[in-house]
Amino acid sequence: MRSALLPLMLGALASVGPHAAAEEIKTTRAAVAALAAPVEVDLDPAAIPTIRGGSREDVVRAEGWMHARDRFLQMDLARRQISGELGELFPEGLALDRSARPLGMRAVARAAVERLPADDRALLAAYADGVNARLESEAPLEYRMLRVAPAPWQPEDTLLVQLGMAKYLDSSAEADLERAGLFATLAPDVARFLAGTEGALSMSVDGSALPAAMPLPAADRLDLRRPRGSASGSRAPSEANPGSNAFAVAGSRTVDGRAIVGNDMHLMLTAPGIWYRVVLEWPGGSMAGLSLPGVPLIVQGTNGAITWAFTNLTADLSDLLLLEIDPDDPGRYLTTEGSQAFEIEEVTLGRVPRTETLTIRRSRFGPVIGTTPDGRALALRWLFHDPAAIDCGLFRLADARSLEEALDAARDWHGPPQNFLVGDGGGRIGWTIAGSLPDRDLLSPAPLPARLAPAWRGVLDPMRKPRIVDPESGVLTSGNQLAIRPDGPLAASMGFTEAPGDRAFRMRELISARRGWTEAELHGVQLDTYSHRLVRWRDAIVALVPDSIDDETARAARAQLVAWNGFVEVDACAPEILDACRRALRQQLAGALGTEATTGMSDEAMLRMLESRAPHLAPDPKGDWNSVAQRFLVRAASETRVATPEPAAGPRNESVAFRTRGDSNISLIRHPAADSLGPAARIAEMPRVPLPGHPTCVRVQTPAFGASERSVISPAHPQDAILVTPAGQAGMPTSPHFRDLHAAWQRGQAFPYLPRAATERIELVRALPNSEPETGSR
């Protein structure tokens, strides 16, 4: 198998016992007044901490202290961006504040904290104790440079970080806007076909049957031989949407009966990375893996009994509603019960001397986020306006000792809806939906008048979420596709906005092909670059375009497509030609459908039309797909052709060369403040190198989007586990730990999941003697 050829470097794993190499460990001390007892923090050569304390609360206090030490700017930006308070830190943040503040997320977070059980509130308070102890002892360097005092951390800020993640992961409102023209200009069934992602690569999480793809529209429903619109340039929807890959492999398919769970969460790539590696140990419990700065405990990893993974469910969590303004009073809007006044709030954004006043209008459906060209207000009804949609239920995973307990904890949690895959120490695997879903009547794929708004009843009862336990195949795969057939209440939020099944299909294809899997081999699956989707595009184009096509550049491009093996490596030019073909066909379709309609059209719909060769679906007066394909291949070939160097002597080189994937897919992973550093910006970014992969591969990769981590873990065998993260643990570009984890991520190499032997220790105590200075700085 191809993945077996990938470089795999596990390295030697050393124990990190409390007395390991004690004579060589540099020890410093710092004060956290709220501690009940001292806490030890051992740091390995990459500054990955192992935190040991006498209670869970004290360990969380120390975790907050470490997050504040290494990543406070990241935490602060996360809470400020979702709450609309960035302008209080950077004047440039005012533009984002204008769109975020109307959402009212700080009030939601505050109300959600009040709903939490007492033990969860206590854990949030303990975490805030640790963060603030660090801030009180020493302001982060970034804030000293800005001459701004960091605002203390509050328990509600942790929920703001989670709400910010919910907003980032949910693109349903943006998708509704993209599809607005499609549903406004075409019949509902035709619009549904053109927007749909179902097709030959559809794959459920367990391989069970999904709803059939919609049939091709008949000629009396859609005939593109007679143009119905005009094109002024068509924008293709982005394929780099927040998502993830995950798989769970049961003991029946592994080398010795262990369950193995893999995860690579696809997010924007920045330096520092979004995750912070940590090991937490307290009497009777432990967790290890990835934490999210701003949130206590572990988001993804293992507690020794279970291992879990997440992928975004990509459910429809919002309605965009068109409000009709009362013609007699612009301060009111019309409802089925008559005219109703907007709730008006004026808020101040920014800080002196750069402040501005923002007027917020709120309707009974939600805040007004814009106005349509015809003067109607656009209101957003979003699931996370409800404080009941967010809590700290994932904390229960710390104590889950069985597959069922883990599935119960995930199902009952309220937060961004996720596919939750889990394996236990006995070799069993399972899946359920974690997070919140709306309890509403209908799914809304595009903006609609408020009078047609589906009824909402709040957050769906967790007991109505499905689960899968011990699938017969021994394999579960998730890549943001439609996970299961959406029956009952799930049909009102699932079945429309999901990603195509390409990645889940490919992972299942690879994993199901054999048994005896190990962690190292499954890490190879995560790096697979074969694209079934691009191969389908290649095959359809080659079948329509003869090798005798008159255009020399197009003829050379066709030859490259024929010779391509389907893997998106850095030296492959076929993926670049095919991406250009996809863009060129979309523009041809825009001339037949209209630009607004093609903005919301899926790649799967375009590909199915091309594969069908149906004359009435060809954007050509004669319905000739051969002509259509030749036109877009000529254009794509011209767009991707590159000049070939002339030889030092002799005749001119007439060969045709094309841009490769490595030419366009050069990593751009930077600190948020890199642009402000001018010529010194390179110290605040990772190396710029060509990377393999593509949004249609298992190895999702664009310059600044891709795997924010890659983990392959069996709960009972941590010594064999793999955890790869980009950049480094530290947030400051001047730190030696700003980029020291990056090489393994960049090269596609494995990295040990467990920390190595400690080289530094921080002792956190309640108070230091008056003569002892505060230490433990970065």
Side-chain angles (χ1 to χ4, degrees), residues 274-639:
I274 188 170
W275 308 112
Y276 184 85
R277 301 171 65 132
V278 66
V279 177
L280 309 174
E281 297 179 2
W282 62 89
S286 66
M287 301 182 83
L290 298 169
S291 64
L292 178 61
V295 180
L297 297 181
I298 298 296
V299 172
Q300 189 269 331
T302 183
N303 67 7
I306 58 163
T307 296
W308 64 93
F310 291 109
T311 70
N312 197 23
L313 193 68
T314 56
D316 187 351
L317 308 180
S318 63
D319 290 336
L320 284 179
L321 302 174
L322 300 166
L323 304 179
E324 187 175 354
I325 303 300
D326 188 332
D328 298 324
D329 185 349
R332 303 177 70 86
Y333 60 99
L334 301 180
T335 73
T336 54
E337 293 84 24
S339 178
Q340 187 165 341
F342 285 107
E343 178 186 336
I344 305 295
E345 181 185 9
E346 289 194 349
V347 299
T348 299
L349 305 180
R351 63 184 172 93
V352 177
R354 293 282 301 276
T355 63
E356 62 181 62
T357 299
L358 177 68
T359 300
I360 299 172
R361 292 187 296 169
R362 294 191 176 91
S363 72
R364 71 192 226 187
F365 303 105
V368 173
I369 60 169
T371 303
T372 62
D374 61 0
R376 289 181 293 179
L378 189 64
L380 173 66
R381 179 160 62 181
W382 188 40
L383 175 63
F384 290 98
H385 288 142
D386 186 344
I390 192 81
D391 65 23
C392 297
L394 281 185
F395 292 172
R396 307 286 91 76
L397 289 175
D399 300 317
R401 311 315 296 171
S402 68
L403 191 78
E404 284 76 14
E405 288 179 359
L407 291 169
D408 287 347
R411 180 199 61 196
D412 294 344
W413 169 59
H414 294 93
Q418 302 285 298
N419 293 284
F420 176 82
L421 286 75
V422 61
D424 71 7
R428 301 173 64 208
I429 60 173
W431 166 91
T432 192
I433 295 174
S436 301
L437 290 172
D439 185 0
R440 65 177 172 191
D441 285 346
L442 296 170
L443 182 149
S444 58
L448 71 163
R451 68 179 182 277
L452 301 178
W456 282 52
R457 290 171 292 275
V459 180
L460 186 70
D461 182 348
M463 295 301 292
R464 303 183 77 178
K465 298 176 191 172
R467 65 171 58 182
I468 297 169
V469 176
D470 299 328
E472 184 177 353
S473 68
V475 180
L476 296 167
T477 61
S478 179
N480 315 117
Q481 84 284 14
L482 181 62
I484 57 167
R485 180 182 292 273
D487 296 324
L490 298 182
S493 56
M494 294 173 60
F496 203 97
T497 60
E498 291 82 8
D502 304 36
R503 290 178 277 121
F505 183 99
R506 178 62 175 167
M507 287 188 289
R508 176 167 291 276
E509 178 181 59
L510 292 172
I511 296 171
S512 299
R514 51 161 289 197
R515 297 180 185 272
W517 286 99
T518 66
E519 288 87 343
E521 292 165 337
L522 287 168
H523 180 245
V525 171
Q526 294 179 320
L527 301 172
D528 182 78
T529 63
Y530 187 83
S531 173
H532 276 295
R533 176 164 300 275
L534 293 183
V535 167
R536 285 173 61 196
W537 273 96
R538 185 271 306 277
D539 292 347
I541 293 167
V542 168
L544 288 166
V545 178
D547 58 8
S548 59
I549 183 173
D550 289 340
D551 186 277
E552 176 196 14
T553 305
R555 193 163 59 248
R558 185 187 185 279
Q560 290 287 347
L561 298 183
V562 171
W564 181 50
N565 64 2
F567 290 91
V568 186
E569 300 295 341
V570 293
D571 59 351
C573 58
E576 292 294 296
I577 298 169
L578 290 167
D579 280 348
C581 285
R582 296 158 79 198
R583 292 191 295 269
L585 176 56
R586 185 176 292 273
Q587 290 179 342
Q588 288 192 44
L589 289 167
L593 282 168
T595 300
E596 287 189 351
T598 52
T599 298
M601 183 170 58
S602 73
D603 185 80
E604 180 65 29
M606 288 201 308
L607 181 51
R608 288 183 63 196
M609 291 159 66
L610 179 66
E611 290 173 328
S612 76
R613 307 188 201 179
H616 66 284
L617 297 178
D620 180 81
K622 297 180 180 180
D624 183 357
W625 272 111
N626 297 84
S627 295
V628 171
Q630 290 184 49
R631 288 198 300 270
F632 69 64
L633 180 59
V634 167
R635 178 170 179 169
S638 175
E639 179 186 325

